[in-house]
Every structure is written in structure tokens, then in C-alpha cells.
Amino acid sequence: MRAASFFSDDQQQQITTLTEHLDTQALLWLSGYLAGLARNRTLPGQASATGARIQAPAQPVSAPQDGSGHRITVIYGSQTGNAKRQAEALWEACQEVGAPVRLVRADQYPTRELKDETLLYVVISTQGEGDPPDDAIGFVEFLKGRRAPRLQQLKFAVLGLGDSSYPEFCGIAQQLDARLAELGAERLQAAGMADVDIETVAAPWRQAALAWIRQHALADTGGAGAPAPTGGAQAPSPGQARAVTREQPIPAELLANQRITGRGSEKAIHHLELSLAESGLSYQAGDALGVWPVQDDALVERILEATGLDPAQTVPCQGEERPLGEWLKMRRELTVLTRPFIAAHAERAGHAGLAGLLQAESRHELAALMSENQVLDILQRYPAPWSACDLVSSLRVLAPRLYSIASSPSLYEDEVHLAVASVAYERDGQPRWGVASRHLCSLAEGDALPVYIEANERFRLPDDGRCDILMIGAGTGVAPFRAFVQERQARGDAGRNWLFFGNPHFQTDFLYQTEWQQALKQGSLHRIDLAFSRDQADKIYVQHRLLEQGAEVYKWIESGGRVYVCGDAARMAPDVQQALLQIAQRHGGLGEEAARSWLETLASQGRYVRDVY
């Protein structure tokens, strides 16, 4: 069988000649050696001049067994890429010390192999109300189910990534940690529970894991496991651009900022265009742009008024010293409440009711408090004394926000476009807003914004341009589908494109209306079904339009089409999933369990993918 399109016939023959007489152990050793070698080479299209680090493989990588049988498996489940990066960091650290290791995305892990694993590290994020990331749903369900094997031979550790503004903080990681122990596995170290300041937890967790690996997994081989890479990550030469990462973003100039909802709309949605010229950044349709916001001066002033603290006071924290005002403006979350901050404030305020919300039986009340209030609301409602140092230490680190890219790199090579919904409302007669949307929507042309590209490998267009796609998005969830249609048109793909879009009103909220109409005329968009929920007595959403077109939707899917969903994770995405299940039952004649299995199969094949938030 032909190996892959990137091998010539001559290369394929050389591979066959080299490997045909090797036994299993020799092949395993060779696979580990080649994995290490590939790690230090720049692939076509990965320009090393940009400083972008070469990614660890998303596919499973076989590694040789050492004398004690301690092959390490690192499994990750990641929605936005953070868990993937942490898993890669552990994978790379293992390779550097010569430990035999493989890295596997959760939806590509053969669960039948779990019974034979001896050393397992799981890195997983938690989404929304304690849900697993999309690429780990099957793995989590298997591990929780009756088919999960006894694991007395297994040693493991879990690193969870989460958001302490949700009551179910790192919920999936805690569940997996408990379940693995319940199945008889031995826990090597306490589960790491990382908030948005990921490295404060992830780094010591990784160091503890590596210390155990050095002492035990390599003990029988004197530290000689898989061949160590021939070279580590090298610093860019003077002629190279520095790496652009989450921690080291690059300034992008704002080219345009235009409100695209009409006068009278309840939503203020802006279309932003940013320059990537000379940045060295590149992206694909489906990727996201990470942006670093700053807090509005007015909010910082109100926080200082509520606490009575001096903005000029120097505050040491985490090895840095900054004026308090700078900590609040540039480095701390003020618009998002977290459980640790509420706990710290309840202790200072001595308020029994606030402290009571932290009890397990009050989780729903706590969730409501956290979703409906900000730091300022708590400071004003429950006055308490704070020192500047304690306040900075108790507030969560400000984190970047991710926005789905709304442009095609084939049409806008040196630009990136976003659709940003401004979050603004009143609480007790005072204005409140979202930190990133307020910052972005208030920018003027010529202003600069620190940015980086967040790859979204699961949310990709099919390589086969003949494949049909169905795109389902509400509100700003339509952003990546603007990029998809542009990209498919630029590539000359023959596959059909069908868009389902929803928003409150046709007159004021039909985002990119003229572009969709033009795409229909040109044939780059083949169908569009619209759901304007407030234009009639009965609310109509995208899931209703899906059900109305159920027979044709099922036909497209069964003919090889792919389904993409983008939007709200709490409401829209579950409703769309339920609609797809109903379509499979109604038009495919499937029972409830068979329909669920059908959708799970589509997801495992990459034909049902979601970008939800």
C-alpha cells in the first residue's frame, strides 16, 4: 500500500528495503529515533525564521520499551490548545531525558490498550459546567463506563486545566483522577488543578512527574530509554524573528473597527481588521486569535475607591514589583469572579451568607452569583478591609481571550478579521462590561493590540475540496464560517456549503448580510437557512431550522458531508446536538442509542466538530 503522498516512489522503496527484515523491537526503536529526529527539523511550510516552535505530533507516536517496561503514555484532551501545550511540554521533557514516551490526543487513543499501560499521564481541560473537551468525550465516557478494565498495573497522574470562575473547577480532571484510582491504578502525585495562570500549577506538577520518571522509569536502563533528540530548541539567530506565543505576543495594528449591527439592535457587534504585516504570523481558516486586553481606567478607579487603596503603592507579587494601579489595569481579572476570591473576601468580611455559598449544597446559588456579578459588586456589597498585597494575590491573573478568526488567509494573507460582541450592561445602576470586548471595541484605527495565533487543529476544512460542509452558528459564532466560505472559494473547492445562522432580528442583526448574498450569487455559498428568533411570536433558533430541513441535512451528512458548530456552549451547542440526534432518528430510522452512536462516530471521524465557548 502506498505510504503517503509526501514520499516519492524512490523513497518508498528505500523505506521498504530498510525495514522489511527488522523485527518488532528494532522497528519500535527506529520509530522512537525518527520521532526524536523529526522533532528538530523544520517541515515544509514551518518557516523557522518566524520562531514558531515545531509542534509535537497529534497522532500517537510509538516509543521503544525500556528494560523495565516503563513506556510513558501522555494523553491530552484540549478545547482551546492550552492542555495540548502542557501535554507537549511533558512529552518534550521526557524526550530530553531519554524516556520512552508517546503523545496521544484523547480521541485518537485506542482504549483497548489501556489495560496494558503501566505509566500514564493525563492532561485535560474542563469546559463549562464540568464537561470534557470535545476531543476527550469518548475517552471520558469509556473510562467511566462498565467496559473500563481493572488497572492494578497502572501508575498515573492527572493535570487539570480549568477556570475558577465556574463552580465545577477542573471537574473532569477530578473525576478522572478518582476513577483511575477506583479502577485500581496507583496515583503517583496529587492531581494538579490549574487556573488560567496555568504555569503556577502546571510547572511544579510537571517537575514532580519528571523527577519520578528519572528515578523510576529509567532506573533499569541507567537513563537510556528512547534516543535523546540530537539538539534542543535553539534560540533564534539575530536574523530571525522572535517566537510569537501566548506569553510573548506581538503588536498588531488596527486597520478598521466597524459596528455591523444596525441602529436599535440590542447587540453591539464590531468587525475588526488587524494587520499581520511583517509579524511572521500565519493562520488557517478555523484558527483563533489570542488577544491580551487591559482593564478600563474607570473600573480600576472604582476598585480603588471601594478598597481605599493607593494606586501608587508598590506591590511585590510572584517575583515582580509593580504599582497597585498597574497590577489592576494590566495583570489582574476584575470583570470575572472566582471562587478563591469569594472565599478570601468572605473571610475578611465575616459574612456568613457569602461564606455559605461556598458549601456544596449551594453550588447553584454560587454559580448564579459568579455569572451575574463582578469583583466590584462583591467589594461594594460586602465591605471588607484589604491590603494591596493581599488583593493582588487573591485576584486571578488576567488571561488572554480567544476570538474565532473571520477571514481566510488566502484572501487576507497579512490581515486577520474578528467579529466581537461588546458585553455591556448595568448592575445596581452602575455600568459593567467585559474586559476584552470593551477594550477591543473602543480601539481606534492605528492603535496596536498584543496578539498571537491559537491553532485549532480539529476545526479545519476538509482536505478533499469535493466534500460538502454544513455550518451552524449563532451570533458571532458565524465568524469562522465567513473564513470557511472565503477559503473554499479561493481554493476552488467543488463541495457545497450550507450555512445555518441565527440572531434576534433580521433588520439589525444579520451579520455580513451583503457578503452572504454575494456568495449565494457567486455560487460559493449554496444554501443559507436563517433563524431570527425575535421576528415572530414564537422564538425560532438554528436548531429549529435544522429540524425543518432534517431530511436534506441527513442526506448531506450520509453522503460524506461534515458538520461544524460554533457558538454558545451552554445553550446553542447542546440544542443543536439534540436536533442532530432527532434528525438521525426521524430520517435515518435509528433508535436513541444508535443515533447517539452515529453522532459519536461522526465526531471520532472529524465529521462533527465544534468550536464552542
Side-chain angles (χ1 to χ4, degrees):
M1 186 175 78
R2 185 90 169 92
S5 59
F6 43 79
F7 290 133
S8 67
D9 291 337
D10 183 56
Q11 289 172 326
Q12 175 65 27
Q13 183 57 47
Q14 292 179 39
I15 292 170
T16 302
T17 302
L18 173 65
T19 59
E20 62 182 347
H21 299 300
L22 297 181
D23 61 19
T24 300
Q25 291 300 315
L27 289 170
L28 285 171
W29 185 93
L30 182 62
S31 68
Y33 172 77
L34 292 175
L37 187 63
R39 178 175 174 271
N40 295 282
R41 292 199 178 180
T42 301
L43 301 176
Q46 290 181 310
S48 60
T50 68
R53 74 184 170 92
I54 300 172
Q55 296 292 315
Q59 299 288 340
V61 176
S62 296
Q65 298 278 0
D66 68 11
S68 59
H70 283 298
R71 182 185 67 181
I72 304 162
T73 295
V74 180
I75 297 177
Y76 71 88
S78 184
Q79 194 74 29
T80 64
N82 288 328
K84 177 176 181 289
R85 278 191 293 272
Q86 291 300 323
E88 288 172 353
L90 179 59
W91 179 82
E92 290 170 354
C94 289
Q95 287 220 324
E96 286 170 2
V97 300
V101 61
R102 64 171 176 171
L103 178 69
V104 194
R105 197 171 72 196
D107 60 354
Q108 296 175 341
Y109 178 71
T111 53
R112 65 181 180 277
E113 296 182 9
L114 186 60
K115 66 181 186 303
D116 299 318
E117 297 284 4
T118 58
L119 188 51
L120 176 68
Y121 291 91
V122 179
V123 183
I124 191 165
S125 61
T126 295
Q127 310 306 307
E129 301 300 328
D131 298 321
D134 283 358
D135 60 7
I137 292 174
F139 176 74
V140 170
E141 290 182 350
F142 171 80
L143 205 58
K144 289 182 175 181
R146 297 173 61 86
R147 290 185 174 86
R150 296 295 299 171
L151 300 172
Q152 291 92 339
Q153 83 292 345
L154 180 67
K155 293 179 174 63
F156 77 95
V158 176
L159 173 62
L161 277 61
D163 183 337
S164 59
S165 66
Y166 289 90
E168 295 293 334
F169 174 55
C170 289
I172 289 300
Q174 295 183 55
Q175 293 172 33
L176 292 185
D177 181 74
R179 179 57 172 163
L180 287 167
E182 181 184 355
L183 293 170
E186 177 186 347
R187 183 184 293 108
L188 293 176
Q189 62 191 76
M193 302 296 167
D195 203 347
V196 294
D197 49 339
I198 298 169
E199 281 300 313
T200 59
V201 171
W205 181 92
R206 187 168 58 249
Q207 290 165 5
L210 200 61
W212 192 95
I213 289 167
R214 282 197 181 101
Q215 182 176 356
H216 299 281
L218 302 180
D220 292 349
T221 60
T230 56
Q234 298 181 359
S237 66
Q240 290 179 325
R242 68 172 176 84
V244 179
T245 65
R246 181 183 188 271
E247 289 71 30
Q248 292 185 302
I250 196 166
E253 180 185 354
L254 183 69
L255 302 175
N257 182 353
Q258 177 185 4
R259 177 167 170 160
I260 54 175
T261 45
R263 185 176 304 164
S265 173
E266 297 176 359
K267 298 184 174 184
I269 297 177
H270 289 238
H271 173 78
L272 276 67
E273 299 179 0
L274 295 155
S275 173
L276 298 181
E278 301 180 2
S279 69
L281 290 177
S282 62
Y283 65 94
Q284 296 185 47
D287 286 345
L289 187 74
V291 302
W292 281 95
V294 297
Q295 301 287 355
D296 191 280
D297 288 333
L299 178 56
V300 173
E301 290 174 6
R302 292 193 182 107
I303 294 288
L304 292 168
E305 290 173 2
T307 57
L309 297 172
D310 179 4
Q313 180 180 345
T314 299
V315 178
C317 185
Q318 296 175 332
E320 296 183 72
E321 287 192 1
R322 297 171 180 271
L324 174 60
E326 186 176 328
W327 278 113
L328 297 180
K329 183 177 177 66
M330 308 290 295
R331 305 298 293 271
R332 287 298 181 264
E333 290 280 9
L334 303 180
T335 62
V336 177
L337 269 178
T338 66
R339 184 187 181 97
F341 178 78
I342 293 173
H345 191 75
E347 182 179 354
R348 283 166 174 76
H351 196 284
L354 186 59
L357 293 178
L358 300 171
Q359 303 304 312
E361 60 271 16
S362 300
R363 57 184 301 272
H364 296 297
E365 291 83 355
L366 178 63
L369 176 78
M370 294 167 72
S371 66
E372 297 169 3
N373 294 273
Q374 297 185 0
V375 170
L376 182 58
D377 299 306
I378 299 301
L379 292 174
Q380 292 178 337
R381 197 172 305 157
Y382 309 99
W386 278 98
S387 71
C389 187
D390 287 344
L391 181 65
V392 170
S393 298
S394 297
L395 289 170
R396 193 171 73 175
V397 173
L398 184 64
R401 270 51 171 180
L402 297 178
Y403 290 91
S404 299
I405 294 175
S407 54
S408 157
S410 296
L411 292 184
Y412 301 97
E413 181 180 4
D414 293 329
E415 295 181 17
V416 62
H417 299 175
L418 306 178
V420 179
S422 178
V423 177
Y425 58 97
E426 285 195 355
R427 171 69 60 194
D428 299 328
Q430 298 182 17
R432 298 288 184 266
W433 50 75
V435 55
S437 64
R438 182 174 178 89
H439 181 58
L440 287 168
C441 294
S442 64
L443 291 174
E445 293 181 10
D447 287 344
L449 180 71
V451 304
Y452 62 98
I453 299 297
E454 184 67 65
N456 192 349
E457 295 175 354
R458 284 177 54 82
F459 208 75
R460 290 274 190 262
L461 284 169
D463 293 330
D464 186 350
R466 297 167 299 178
C467 182
D468 296 332
I469 65 173
L470 298 95
M471 303 165 286
I472 306 163
T476 56
V478 79
F481 303 139
R482 179 178 184 261
F484 277 12
V485 171
Q486 291 177 354
E487 183 70 12
R488 298 261 281 180
Q489 181 182 20
R491 294 189 333 193
D493 289 356
R496 297 174 295 172
N497 307 317
W498 186 354
L499 174 65
F500 289 84
F501 170 67
N503 234 357
H505 299 287
F506 172 82
Q507 290 292 338
T508 58
D509 304 315
F510 192 174
L511 307 185
Y512 302 113
Q513 177 182 357
T514 56
E515 293 189 24
W516 299 129
Q517 291 171 336
Q518 185 66 24
L520 285 168
K521 289 180 182 178
Q522 294 174 342
S524 55
L525 182 65
H526 298 81
R527 291 192 61 165
I528 184 169
D529 281 81
L530 303 168
F532 294 106
S533 59
R534 306 304 196 273
D535 280 349
Q536 60 284 311
D538 296 326
K539 294 178 181 178
I540 297 176
Y541 298 107
V542 287
Q543 63 267 24
H544 300 130
R545 296 303 188 207
L546 277 170
L547 291 169
E548 289 173 2
Q549 303 297 329
E552 191 66 11
V553 166
Y554 189 75
K555 185 183 298 184
W556 275 49
I557 296 173
E558 287 300 282
S559 298
R562 296 192 180 192
V563 181
Y564 298 87
V565 181
C566 184
D568 178 53
R571 296 183 296 274
M572 189 275 283
D575 290 341
V576 166
Q577 179 154 312
Q578 188 59 38
L580 292 171
L581 292 171
Q582 292 180 35
I583 287 170
Q585 294 175 63
R586 187 178 304 168
H587 301 285
L590 304 179
E592 184 176 343
E593 287 301 317
R596 192 170 300 278
S597 177
W598 170 79
L599 198 58
E600 289 174 356
T601 299
L602 290 178
S604 68
Q605 295 172 344
R607 294 178 52 213
Y608 168 53
V609 292
R610 309 190 306 171
D611 180 9
V612 296
Y613 40 85

